[in-house]
C-alpha cells in the first residue's frame, strides 16, 4: 500500500506542477503571437504553442497557421518544425506519417541532423505502436540511430530536449525485438542503451531497465527481473515519467503470475487497471487485464475471472479494430504514397530533363563564350604584338631620324669646318698679301723715322744743307 500511496501523491504533484507551468508558458506564447509581427519568431512561437496543446484541433490550428506563415517567408526550417509537430501530435496514423515525412524531407534538404533523427524517432514509434509494422519500425529506428550516433545528436525542441537520441533509438530497437520475441537481439540493444547511462532529471533512465527486466522475465530469470523492475519504479518517478510506472507494474504482474505469487500479480495488475488513462499504452492495460483474468481463473473466482476475460476480449477487439483501421489506413496511405512517389518521380524526371537541357544550354553558352574568349585573347595578343612591333618600328624610325639629324648636323659641321678652313686660308692669303705692304710701310716708316731724326739732329746742329739733303731722301723714299 505504501507504493500505491507514493504513486498517487507523485501523480497529483506532477499534474499540478505541469498544469500551472503549461498555463504560464501558453499565455507567454500567445502574447508573442498577438504582436503579429509576421516574422520567423512568430513561426517558431506557433510551432511551440502547437506542441504545448492537448486538444488535436488546437495543435492543427497553430501548426497550420505557422506552416502558412513559414511558406510565405520561405522559412524552410520553421515549415519543417510545424509539420513535425503536426505529425508528432496527430492521432491519425496516415496524417501523422504524411506530416513527419514532409518534415523529414525538408530537414534532410537542410542537412539538419537533429530534425532528421527526431523525425525517424517518431516514424519508428508510429509504425510499431500504431501500425504494428515492426519491419518498417526497425528500418526507421536503425536509420535514426546511425545518424544520432555519428553526429552525437541531441533531442530537439519538441521531443526529448537536451537528451542524446542514440540511446533512445537503441532502447526502441530493443523494445521492437521484444515485441517480435527475438530476445537475443532485444538484450543486445537494451544493454547498449543502458551502457549509455542517459540521465533524466539526474537519474538513470528507467525504460531500458524495465526492458531488461521484461526480457529476463521472458527468459525465466525471475529474481534478476524482479530486482530490475523494483529499480525501475523510483527511476521512473525521478525521471518524471510517471506513466512508465504502469508498464513496470504490468510487467511485475506478469512476473508474479508466472511465479504463482497470485496476490502480488493481482495487486500490481489492479494498479494498472485503475490508473490507466488515454495517454498510457493500451498494451499495458491489456497485459494487466489478461493477467487478472488468468489469476482469478486460477483462484477459481469465476465472477472476477469472467469480468476480466470479457474486458480483455473487448480490449483485444478494440486493438484488432484499431489494427484493421491502421492496416486500411496504411494500405490507403501506401497507395497514396505510391501515387505521390510516381508523380514525384515523373516530376523529378521532367526536372532532370529540364536540368540536362539547361546544362546543355549552359555548356553551349560556355563553349561559345570560350571560343569568343580565346579569339579575344588571340586578338589581344595580336594587338599587343602589333603594338610592340609598331613601338619597335617607331623606335627604329626615331633612331634613324636621330641618326639622320646627327648626320645632317655632322655634315653641316663639316661644311662649316670646310668653309671656316677655306675662309682661314683666304684670310691667311689676304693677311699675307696685306702683310707685305705693311712690312714695307713699317720698314719705310722706320727708315723715314731715322732720317727725320737725322734731319732734326742736323737742323739742331745748324747743318741746313745736310738737313735738306736728308729731307730730299725722305721725299724720295715716299715717292
Amino acid at each position: 500500500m505504501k507504493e500505491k500511496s507514493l504513486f498517487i501523491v507523485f501523480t497529483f504533484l506532477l499534474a499540478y506542477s505541469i498544469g500551472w507551468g503549461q498555463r504560464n508558458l501558453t499565455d507567454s506564447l500567445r502574447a508573442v503571437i498577438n504582436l503579429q509581427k509576421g516574422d520567423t519568431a512568430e513561426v517558431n512561437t506557433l510551432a511551440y504553442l502547437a506542441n504545448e496543446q492537448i486538444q488535436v484541433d488546437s495543435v492543427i490550428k497553430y501548426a497550420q497557421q505557422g506552416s502558412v506563415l513559414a511558406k510565405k517567408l520561405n522559412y524552410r526550417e520553421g515549415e519543417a518544425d510545424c509539420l513535425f509537430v503536426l505529425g508528432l501530435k496527430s492521432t491519425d496514423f496516415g496524417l501523422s506519417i504524411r506530416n513527419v515525412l514532409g518534415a523529414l524531407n525538408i530537414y534532410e534538404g537542410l542537412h539538419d541532423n537533429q530534425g532528421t533523427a527526431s523525425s525517424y524517432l517518431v516514424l519508428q514509434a508510429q509504425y510499431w505502436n500504431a501500425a504494428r509494422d515492426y519491419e518498417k519500425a526497425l528500418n526507421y529506428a536503425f536509420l535514426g540511430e546511425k545518424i544520432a550516433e555519428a553526429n552525437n545528436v541531441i533531442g530537439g525542441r519538441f521531443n526529448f530536449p537536451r537528451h542524446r537520441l542514440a540511446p533512445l533509438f537503441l532502447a526502441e530497437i530493443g523494445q521492437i525485438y521484444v515485441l517480435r520475441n527475438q530476445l537475443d537481439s532485444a538484450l543486445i540493444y537494451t544493454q547498449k542503451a543502458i551502457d549509455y547511462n542517459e540521465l533524466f532529471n539526474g537519474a538513470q533512465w528507467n525504460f531500458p531497465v524495465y526492458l531488461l527486466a521484461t526480457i529476463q522475465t521472458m527468459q525465466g530469470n525471475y529474481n534478476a527481473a524482479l530486482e530490475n523492475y523494483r529499480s525501475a519504479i523510483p527511476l521512473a518517478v525521478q525521471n518524471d515519467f510517471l506513466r512508465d510506472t504502469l508498464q513496470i507494474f504490468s510487467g511485475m504482474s506478469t512476473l508474479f503470475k508466472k511465479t504463482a505469487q497470485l496476490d502480488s500479480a493481482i495487486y500490481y495488475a489492479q494498479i494498472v487497471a485503475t490508473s490507466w488513462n488515454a495517454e498510457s499504452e493500451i498494451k499495458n492495460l491489456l497485459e494487466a487485464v489478461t493477467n487478472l483474468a488468468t489469476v482469478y481463473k486460477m483462484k477459481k473466482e469465476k465472477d472476477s475471472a469472467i469480468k476480466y476475460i470479457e474486458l480483455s476480449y473487448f480490449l483485444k477487439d478494440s486493438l484488432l479494430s484499431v489494427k484493421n483501421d491502421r492496416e486500411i489506413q496504411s494500405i490507403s496511405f501506401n497507395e497514396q504514397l505510391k501515387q505521390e512517389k510516381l508523380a514525384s518521380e515523373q516530376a523529378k524526371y521532367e526536372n532532370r530533363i529540364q536540368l540536362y537541357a539547361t546544362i546543355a544550354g549552359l555548356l553551349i553558352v560556355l563553349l561559345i563564350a570560350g571560343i569568343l574568349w580565346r579569339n579575344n585573347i588571340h586578338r589581344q595578343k595580336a594587338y599587343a604584338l602589333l603594338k610592340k612591333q609598331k613601338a619597335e618600328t617607331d623606335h627604329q624610325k626615331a633612331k634613324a631620324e636621330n641618326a639622320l639629324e646627327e648626320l645632317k648636323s655632322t655634315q653641316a659641321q663639316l661644311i662649316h669646318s670646310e668653309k671656316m678652313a677655306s675662309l682661314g686660308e683666304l684670310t691667311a692669303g689676304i693677311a699675307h698679301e696685306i702683310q707685305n705692304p705693311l712690312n714695307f710701310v713699317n720698314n719705310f716708316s722706320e727708315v723715314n723715322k731715322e732720317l727725320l731724326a737725322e734731319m732734326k739732329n742736323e737742323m739742331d746742329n745748324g747743318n741746313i744743307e745736310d738737313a735738306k739733303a736728308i729731307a730730299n731722301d725722305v721725299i724720295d723714299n715716299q715717292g
Side-chain angles (χ1 to χ4, degrees), residues 105-311:
N105 184 53
I106 297 174
Y107 286 137
E108 287 180 333
L110 295 173
H111 304 290
D112 185 339
N113 291 321
Q114 184 188 75
T116 300
S118 296
S119 297
Y120 281 133
L121 193 62
V122 175
L123 288 169
Q124 66 82 29
Q126 283 286 15
Y127 273 103
W128 80 253
N129 188 31
R132 296 294 187 266
D133 188 340
Y134 300 134
E135 198 63 39
K136 276 192 176 180
L138 276 176
N139 181 52
Y140 283 124
F142 280 123
L143 287 172
E145 193 278 331
K146 184 178 180 181
I147 292 172
E149 175 72 29
N151 300 282
N152 192 28
V153 177
I154 306 299
R157 298 177 292 278
F158 309 110
N159 59 342
F160 303 104
R162 300 180 301 281
H163 289 285
R164 293 172 294 178
L165 293 189
L168 274 65
F169 277 109
L170 291 168
E172 290 293 330
I173 293 169
Q175 176 171 236
I176 295 169
Y177 279 126
V178 167
L179 294 170
R180 295 177 64 169
N181 202 29
Q182 295 175 253
L183 300 185
D184 290 340
S185 296
L187 185 59
I188 290 171
Y189 287 97
T190 298
Q191 190 59 55
K192 284 183 178 180
I194 291 172
D195 291 342
Y196 258 90
N197 192 33
E198 186 67 12
L199 305 179
F200 284 81
N201 290 335
Q204 182 184 2
W205 185 28
N206 75 89
F207 183 62
V209 180
Y210 153 77
L211 277 179
L212 178 60
T214 301
I215 295 167
Q216 290 168 336
T217 299
M218 296 172 74
Q219 291 174 331
N221 189 2
Y222 299 125
N223 290 332
L226 182 58
E227 183 179 345
N228 283 315
Y229 276 136
R230 285 175 172 165
S231 297
I233 294 170
L235 292 177
V237 174
Q238 287 179 273
N239 294 161
D240 213 5
F241 297 148
L242 294 185
R243 75 174 189 176
D244 284 5
T245 56
L246 296 183
Q247 65 184 5
I248 298 170
F249 292 151
S250 65
M252 291 177 72
S253 74
T254 299
L255 185 151
F256 285 125
K257 181 190 72 175
K258 288 187 174 185
T259 56
Q261 300 179 61
L262 304 185
D263 289 340
S264 294
I266 291 171
Y267 171 73
Y268 286 105
Q270 286 286 7
I271 292 177
V272 176
T274 56
S275 303
W276 189 89
N277 57 51
E279 293 185 3
S280 305
E281 293 181 9
I282 195 169
K283 70 180 180 66
N284 298 326
L285 177 60
L286 178 59
E287 181 182 7
V289 168
T290 302
N291 288 339
L292 286 170
T294 303
V295 171
Y296 280 124
K297 186 177 179 180
M298 292 170 65
K299 293 184 72 170
K300 301 185 185 305
E301 297 183 23
K302 293 182 180 179
D303 291 341
S304 296
I306 292 171
K307 171 186 173 183
Y308 286 108
I309 288 172
E310 290 177 348
L311 182 55

Side-chain angles (χ1 to χ4, degrees), residues 5 21 50 54 74 125 156 197 365 374 400:
S5 299
I54 296 174
N74 195 27
N197 192 33
V365 171
R374 187 186 65 178

Side-chain angles (χ1 to χ4, degrees), residues 231-445:
S231 297
I233 294 170
L235 292 177
V237 174
Q238 287 179 273
N239 294 161
D240 213 5
F241 297 148
L242 294 185
R243 75 174 189 176
D244 284 5
T245 56
L246 296 183
Q247 65 184 5
I248 298 170
F249 292 151
S250 65
M252 291 177 72
S253 74
T254 299
L255 185 151
F256 285 125
K257 181 190 72 175
K258 288 187 174 185
T259 56
Q261 300 179 61
L262 304 185
D263 289 340
S264 294
I266 291 171
Y267 171 73
Y268 286 105
Q270 286 286 7
I271 292 177
V272 176
T274 56
S275 303
W276 189 89
N277 57 51
E279 293 185 3
S280 305
E281 293 181 9
I282 195 169
K283 70 180 180 66
N284 298 326
L285 177 60
L286 178 59
E287 181 182 7
V289 168
T290 302
N291 288 339
L292 286 170
T294 303
V295 171
Y296 280 124
K297 186 177 179 180
M298 292 170 65
K299 293 184 72 170
K300 301 185 185 305
E301 297 183 23
K302 293 182 180 179
D303 291 341
S304 296
I306 292 171
K307 171 186 173 183
Y308 286 108
I309 288 172
E310 290 177 348
L311 182 55
S312 67
Y313 283 148
F314 172 78
L315 289 172
K316 286 177 183 177
D317 288 342
S318 298
L319 280 175
L320 182 61
S321 176
V322 170
K323 183 180 179 182
N324 290 336
D325 289 343
R326 298 299 190 200
E327 287 177 352
I328 292 170
Q329 288 181 10
S330 181
I331 292 169
S332 175
F333 178 70
N334 287 336
E335 182 61 27
Q336 192 170 2
L337 278 182
K338 184 178 179 182
Q339 295 299 325
E340 289 179 356
K341 185 178 180 181
L342 289 173
S344 176
E345 288 177 353
Q346 179 64 27
K348 285 180 180 178
Y349 174 75
E350 292 175 357
N351 289 336
R352 194 158 50 244
I353 295 298
Q354 186 177 0
L355 177 63
Y356 291 157
T358 303
I359 291 173
L362 287 173
L363 287 174
I364 292 171
V365 171
L366 288 173
L367 181 61
I368 294 171
I371 293 171
L372 292 174
W373 178 77
R374 187 186 65 178
N375 291 341
N376 186 52
I377 292 295
H378 288 166
R379 188 162 50 251
Q380 287 181 352
K381 286 182 177 179
Y383 176 75
L385 182 60
L386 287 173
K387 189 175 180 181
K388 182 179 179 182
Q389 291 176 344
K390 184 177 182 300
E392 289 178 354
T393 302
D394 291 343
H395 180 67
Q396 294 296 332
K397 184 178 178 182
K399 285 178 68 177
E401 289 177 351
N402 289 335
L404 181 61
E405 290 297 325
E406 289 179 3
L407 184 61
K408 288 180 178 179
S409 176
T410 303
Q411 185 180 16
Q413 288 177 1
L414 288 173
I415 293 170
H416 180 70
S417 298
E418 289 177 358
K419 288 181 177 180
M420 291 302 294
S422 298
L423 181 62
E425 290 177 358
L426 178 62
T427 304
I430 294 170
H432 178 72
E433 292 298 326
I434 294 172
Q435 188 66 34
N436 288 331
L438 285 175
N439 289 335
F440 176 79
V441 171
N442 288 334
N443 291 333
F444 182 74
S445 296

